[in-house]
Amino acid sequence: MQKEKVLSGIRPTGFVHLGNYFGAIRNWVKMQDEYDCYYCVVDWHSLTTHPDTHELKHNVHRLLAELIASGIDPDKCVLYIQSDVPEIAELYFYLNTVAYIGELEKTVTFKEKARQQPDNVNAGLFTYPVLQAADILIHRAVNVPVGKDQEQHIEMTRTFADRFNHRYGEVFPSPKAFNYYGAELIKIMSLDGVGKMSKSVNQMNTLYLADTDEQIRKKIMKAKTDSGPTEPNSVMPDYIENLFTLLRLVSAQETIEKFEADFNNCVIRYGDVKKQLAEDMVRFMAPIRERALAIQDDKEYLAKVIATGREKARASASETLAIVRNAMGVNY
Ligand code: TYM
């Protein structure tokens, strides 16, 4: 039986952080065994916000190394770079003709980015969700493992796919955002409780896979807390909930249960929680960091990964594009 297809992407705009890891990458790792997986480093997308390309090559190589160090196995999935697959750009154009300006204007990420970079509100930024739809639909993927912040983009992909199918016949399946580990998509907040962890903003409150043990400890010890609950079984403020989310990801079950009970009994000491979390986080992150450094230095291996990914991704992409052209009558 043919396996369902999975596609996801990540921008090479900075260091991989825990939000990327727990929102997306650990799903990618898990899904490699059960699905036909395509994972893409989306360098074109990064140009919409990071036009300076001096560091691009270095960033792409480091990102590949960090993905492989996190458990992505280029022998089990197709790991490739977006700009290596020109078929995506062609599909992007076709999809632009089924995407309406009105719906692109309503995209939350577009409005946010336009505010952040008022001097560079470029057309690529405006049609960002169309390019993302092309990434997904070029492989006719069904499952898209992403964090909560990408939900709207995946909904838009469904809209474009449905509209295309309605106009030209059934070509694309309807893709959905997906979290292997639960019904809800994940959002990891920044450690100061303001916004989410991010590759390029609020770096002191984001944990990066490349952080040293000391940086990890320092950032966690500075995380926002308060003086603790005064009523038993209180609702957790979201910044405390976020610490518990991180504990649940890296700590032992009995540790989590102890701190949950302490919270509910109003005897919790956040200093102890953070110390424990810092140590468990260091234990979790240090081996990934070490592996990534070694892989990043192995240029020959990375070149091989890139070439193999390109070949496999283009084979799948050109198959879809032939079907698309036929359906549209763009075949002479
Ligand atoms: P990007 O590069 O910002 O993030 C990569 C993945 O990490 C997730 N993520 C988070 N999850 C939980 N908490 C956070 N704080 C957090 N920050 C980031 C993102 O949801 C994402 O899954 N537009 C996409 C890249 C993209 C893509 C695609 C994704 C391009 N084409 C096709 C899926 C399918 C982006 O900017 O991801």
Side-chain angles (χ1 to χ4, degrees):
M1 204 176 70
Q2 230 185 353
K3 292 180 184 171
E4 271 187 1
K5 285 196 176 174
V6 168
L7 175 292
S8 200
I10 182 164
R11 286 171 304 154
T13 50
F15 290 95
V16 173
H17 55 76
L18 274 195
N20 300 135
Y21 184 85
F22 289 113
I25 299 168
R26 79 176 167 146
N27 279 283
W28 301 10
V29 172
K30 191 80 188 169
M31 294 171 90
Q32 294 177 115
D33 295 316
E34 285 174 47
Y35 296 85
D36 187 8
C37 294
Y38 293 81
Y39 300 132
C40 183
V41 172
V42 292
D43 53 343
W44 282 335
H45 275 112
S46 72
L47 298 177
T48 65
T49 51
H50 292 64
D52 181 348
T53 52
H54 279 94
E55 298 277 311
L56 184 60
K57 187 170 182 170
H58 176 72
N59 283 345
V60 166
H61 284 183
R62 193 186 56 222
L63 178 51
L64 286 170
E66 290 188 314
L67 291 173
I68 296 166
S70 300
I72 301 297
D73 180 349
D75 291 329
K76 287 188 186 168
C77 67
V78 182
L79 177 61
Y80 66 101
I81 300 169
Q82 186 180 39
S83 60
D84 270 343
V85 183
E87 289 80 3
I88 298 170
E90 186 175 335
L91 182 59
Y92 168 51
F93 177 75
Y94 298 143
L95 293 176
N96 267 315
T97 67
V98 295
Y100 297 135
I101 286 181
E103 56 201 355
L104 294 173
E105 275 169 345
K106 285 194 213 122
T107 315
V108 173
T109 49
F110 172 69
K111 289 193 277 191
E112 238 171 56
K113 294 274 155 54
R115 242 191 334 266
Q116 285 164 7
Q117 52 183 65
D119 298 331
N120 185 19
V121 186
N122 58 80
L125 192 63
F126 189 61
T127 54
Y128 184 113
V130 187
L131 181 56
Q132 181 157 348
D135 290 333
I136 297 168
L137 299 177
I138 197 72
H139 301 297
R140 284 165 287 156
V142 180
N143 294 303
V144 188
V146 284
K148 180 87 184 151
D149 61 307
Q150 295 299 311
E151 203 168 25
Q152 188 185 25
H153 290 173
I154 313 304
E155 271 167 30
M156 293 174 82
T157 300
R158 269 204 303 278
T159 304
F160 304 149
D162 290 349
R163 201 171 289 148
F164 183 98
N165 289 345
H166 188 68
R167 202 171 282 176
Y168 299 112
E170 281 296 316
V171 170
F172 299 118
S174 206
K176 59 180 186 299
F178 189 79
N179 175 18
Y180 192 95
Y181 290 88
E184 297 288 320
L185 299 181
I186 295 225
K187 174 182 173 183
I188 305 287
M189 289 176 73
S190 63
L191 294 168
D192 59 358
V194 182
K196 62 183 178 98
M197 286 199 185
S198 152
K199 285 200 218 85
S200 41
V201 292
N202 206 359
Q203 303 190 339
M204 268 318 290
N205 291 298
T206 294
L207 289 169
Y208 297 97
L209 296 186
D211 281 345
T212 62
D213 293 353
E214 269 331 290
Q215 282 171 317
I216 297 170
R217 292 193 179 99
K218 215 161 119 192
K219 287 180 183 179
I220 291 181
M221 292 315 289
K222 274 187 36 221
K224 175 170 177 169
T225 52
D226 51 33
S227 50
T230 48
E231 299 276 324
N233 304 314
S234 300
V235 176
M236 278 184 196
D238 50 7
Y239 48 91
I240 299 296
E241 180 71 53
N242 197 46
L243 285 185
F244 272 89
T245 300
L246 296 178
L247 274 177
R248 282 183 205 111
L249 294 169
V250 296
S251 299
Q253 190 55 31
E254 57 271 24
T255 308
I256 302 159
E257 282 167 13
K258 178 199 176 309
F259 288 133
E260 276 170 350
D262 287 353
F263 179 89
N264 288 331
N265 299 324
C266 307
V267 294
I268 192 152
R269 289 165 40 165
Y270 289 127
D272 292 349
V273 175
K274 292 199 273 190
K275 249 187 233 150
Q276 181 71 46
L277 176 60
E279 290 321 306
D280 292 341
M281 197 56 87
V282 164
R283 199 168 325 119
F284 176 81
M285 288 172 70
I288 300 181
R289 177 185 66 224
E290 302 306 324
R291 276 199 300 275
L293 284 174
I295 297 165
Q296 199 180 328
D297 284 341
D298 192 345
K299 295 292 177 217
E300 216 174 292
Y301 169 69
L302 282 179
K304 223 167 61 198
V305 168
I306 291 170
T308 312
R310 178 194 302 129
E311 195 182 318
K312 290 191 201 158
R314 285 199 74 181
S316 158
S318 52
E319 218 176 278
T320 301
L321 207 49
I323 297 170
V324 168
R325 279 169 161 252
N326 260 330
M328 296 181 80
V330 183
N331 55 346
Y332 313 103

